Amino acid sequence: MEYEDIYGLSPRPKYDCLLFDLDDTLYPLSSGLAKACGNNIKDYMVEKLGIGKEKIVELSNYLYKNYGTTMAGLRAVGYDFDYDDYHSYVHGGLPYENLKPDPQLRSLLLTLPIRKIIFTNADRVHAIKALSKLGLEDCFEGIICFETLNPTHKNTVSDDEDDVEFLGSVSTTTGVANNPEIFDIIGHFADPKPGATLPRTPIVCKPQDSAIELALKIAKINPQRTLFFDDSVRNIQAGKRVGLHTVLVGTSQRPKGADYALESIHNIKQALPELWETDVKSDVSYAGQVAVETSVTA
């Protein structure tokens, strides 16, 4: 610091990159999209996978709790389905009209002279549509989404980082509920068997540590110089494990693993004014639509 002061040099900013989750982070939970998405997922399980309605709520809870997303859990326990069809179904009827242009957030983002990237478990179509509705489509360098981390429909398994031991691999089934290859996760927890473990999922997604590490590699991000914004405590804690600085959005209560907690993303400048304290004062924007990262380049 003394060297910098003597020669009139400014200290290097603490962060090189801001990594933002999308849903319920850049817009509030009160928009209703999360609730509608949850209902659509349950309908998909009944209509497309033939799962009994009486099991849906309990099954969904177990899958989400143990795999990060219901989709990842469905694939883990043995249901096979087309990823694009799934996303089209669960996002197709969302109330996107509830998302309005957010000029305040747009101004905050455009005046941040730091690299900004979206990191979402959602698919590309949903991410671009939501950003467009919010008027934020040119505020980010790129999008790391479902297709980025899952470029093909593969049956290999991914590592889970939630301290759970796994057994076996995912089978390629037709998705019929009474298929003997379907793992009974409800029964697994209702009547635990000694040594019984959960199957892995072939889907790479938050909050897997490996998913976050892959996203960082794809976008060439240094975690120690990156601030990660997400509404999920699990995702934030996973981010902290891989070295990211973390911001939990949606509450002022700061849990373990979060360096900061914001009631709303709009509070970012109040909580982190240092992000704007730089010699670079010009607006940073990206021409046209944001790019979607699709391959490992590092």
Side-chain angles (χ1 to χ4, degrees), residues 223-256:
Q224 297 179 347
R225 296 187 54 78
T226 298
L227 199 55
F228 174 44
F229 298 79
D230 203 296
D231 67 292
S232 165
V233 174
R234 289 194 300 175
N235 293 348
I236 286 295
Q237 291 174 340
K240 176 55 67 175
R241 288 197 297 270
V242 303
L244 291 163
H245 301 271
T246 56
V247 184
L248 181 65
V249 180
T251 177
S252 58
Q253 302 300 312
R254 185 168 64 88
K256 180 181 178 181

Side-chain angles (χ1 to χ4, degrees), residues 15 33 39 73 79 90 101 131 137 142 147 174 177 182 203 255 287 292:
Y15 305 111
L33 266 70
N39 290 336
Y79 290 98
V90 302
L131 287 172
E137 64 272 19
E147 292 91 341
T174 60
I182 300 299
I203 289 179
V292 180

Side-chain angles (χ1 to χ4, degrees), residues 59-70 162 189 207 234:
L59 178 59
S60 297
N61 289 339
Y62 278 128
L63 296 178
Y64 181 80
K65 178 180 179 180
N66 289 279
Y67 292 100
T69 69
T70 306
D162 285 334
F189 286 103
R234 289 194 300 175

Side-chain angles (χ1 to χ4, degrees), residues 32-57:
L33 266 70
K35 182 178 180 179
C37 188
N39 290 336
N40 290 347
I41 290 172
K42 293 178 176 65
D43 289 343
Y44 184 91
M45 292 166 68
V46 173
E47 296 180 15
K48 297 282 190 170
L49 302 182
I51 301 172
K53 290 184 178 181
E54 72 281 357
K55 297 170 57 178
I56 292 298
V57 173

Side-chain angles (χ1 to χ4, degrees), residues 156-170:
T156 54
V157 295
S158 64
D159 293 329
D160 186 281
E161 301 292 347
D162 285 334
D163 298 322
V164 181
E165 293 294 330
F166 294 95
L167 176 68
S169 60
V170 177

